[in-house]
Amino acid sequence: MTLDHLPRLPLGAAPTPVEPLARLGAELGIDLSAKRDDFTGFGGGGNKVRKLEFLMADARAKGASVVLTAGGLQSNHARITAAAARRCGMTPVLVLRGERPPAAQGNLLLDHLFGAEIDYLDAARFPAEHEARMQALGAAAEARGETPYVIPVGGSNALGAAGYVACARELAEQYRAAGRPAPDVLVVPVGSGGTLAGLVAGCALAWPQTRIVGIPVSISPVPFAERVARLANAVAALVGIDRRWQPAEIIVDENYVGPGYAIMSEAGNAAIRHAARAEGLLLDPVYTAKGFAGLIGSVEAGVIRRGSSVLFLHTGGTPALFHYGEALLG
């Protein structure tokens, strides 16, 4: 099996642009660009669109009528999964972490507009019970004569990660067409790990000299390097890449998580304002703000050398800004 042989359902607008961030780059002393995967478009855009092109093709091939997934109350993945399910004539069912809020804003508003069936799971129970809850809801759908298809949090399995093997190839083609050498460093926000894993596997072929740095946005019970190495190995095996990784080969910097997942951080909020005012670039508090704070901090600490060429993967998430608006302006 190769990447081109995997069934794929076109959803997003690709290739997404690579844009220079000249003002921010000059401030940091680096050659800085952004891969604008917030421009994938479908369902509000973001990196999950690439994963769902492969996952939804598999769901459709298996005759699914109900698609189930899980995430936080402002989950980008849940929002795009709901949109993709509707595009395919399927019912989206979402298990979301936390209590139902008094008003639906941001991604949660869009979940409702897509007509998703939402099951709220207490935050303390979510890490241990969300998979069992999805399986139970899937079994209930099956008992009604439906065909369920369960997608893991973030779409992060080997099939989902294939979306970012494809993205690595797309990036290499864009840089080649522009006559640009591969960047020295690629910085990626990390949640469930599938995006980073796909890029690690894809760049082994496309950009083997580029250093890939993941900036986690949450605390993980399984070390991120271990999780990403496992996913990278799985997707490499799936698409015929003859390479395997040990956790020690995966670069992650966990210093920018802040208080926790989906909880705003001081450095992340500063990055949101800085990017907006220097470049007109919108970052979201959950993923890209913390990822960009990690990029800035890495340059200031000398982990990324001044004078380097650096590419930041913008994973989207703009709808979540509207949920955090009062806190951002406070």
Side-chain angles (χ1 to χ4, degrees), residues 40-288:
T40 52
F42 180 76
N47 64 320
K48 309 304 183 183
V49 173
R50 292 187 187 271
K51 296 180 177 183
L52 285 161
E53 289 190 334
F54 291 94
L55 290 162
M56 292 305 298
D58 189 49
R60 189 168 61 177
K62 292 176 177 174
S65 57
V66 174
V67 174
L68 305 99
T69 198
L73 285 177
Q74 288 297 320
S75 169
N76 300 314
H77 167 67
R79 178 243 307 166
I80 300 173
T81 299
R86 290 306 186 189
R87 168 68 63 88
C88 295
M90 304 171 191
T91 301
V93 177
L94 309 177
V95 177
L96 299 184
R97 179 180 182 270
E99 298 180 1
R100 179 172 185 152
Q105 296 178 317
N107 283 320
L108 185 58
L109 170 62
L110 299 183
D111 295 339
H112 283 286
L113 288 177
F114 293 132
E117 296 177 9
I118 301 175
D119 184 77
Y120 295 94
L121 182 60
D122 183 81
R125 298 168 58 194
F126 187 90
E129 297 182 25
H130 72 273
E131 290 184 5
R133 181 66 69 90
M134 285 194 293
Q135 294 297 334
L137 291 169
E142 200 165 23
R144 298 193 304 267
E146 304 273 11
T147 302
Y149 185 89
V150 176
I151 295 176
V153 169
S156 288
N157 57 16
L159 197 56
Y164 274 86
V165 176
C167 183
R169 184 168 68 181
E170 178 180 299
L171 276 166
E173 291 170 352
Q174 287 178 297
Y175 271 66
R176 190 181 305 114
R180 299 177 62 185
D184 299 314
V185 184
L186 171 56
V187 178
V188 187
V190 182
S192 54
T195 297
L196 178 57
L199 286 170
V200 165
C203 287
L205 297 179
W207 283 347
Q209 303 307 315
T210 296
R211 182 160 57 104
I212 306 172
V213 178
I215 308 293
V217 302
S218 62
I219 298 167
S220 173
V222 178
F224 277 103
E226 182 180 323
R227 182 198 303 180
V228 172
R230 187 186 314 127
L231 272 170
N233 292 339
V235 71
L238 178 66
V239 301
I241 296 173
D242 187 20
R243 173 79 158 82
R244 298 296 179 268
W245 291 265
Q246 296 298 320
E249 298 176 89
I250 306 299
I251 304 171
V252 290
D253 185 342
E254 300 183 42
N255 291 315
Y256 301 92
V257 172
Y261 176 72
I263 303 173
M264 300 171 81
S265 71
E266 185 176 338
N269 288 355
I272 289 173
R273 297 187 186 98
H274 196 175
R277 294 168 187 179
E279 297 280 1
L281 178 70
L282 295 176
L283 304 175
D284 80 291
V286 180
Y287 288 95
T288 52

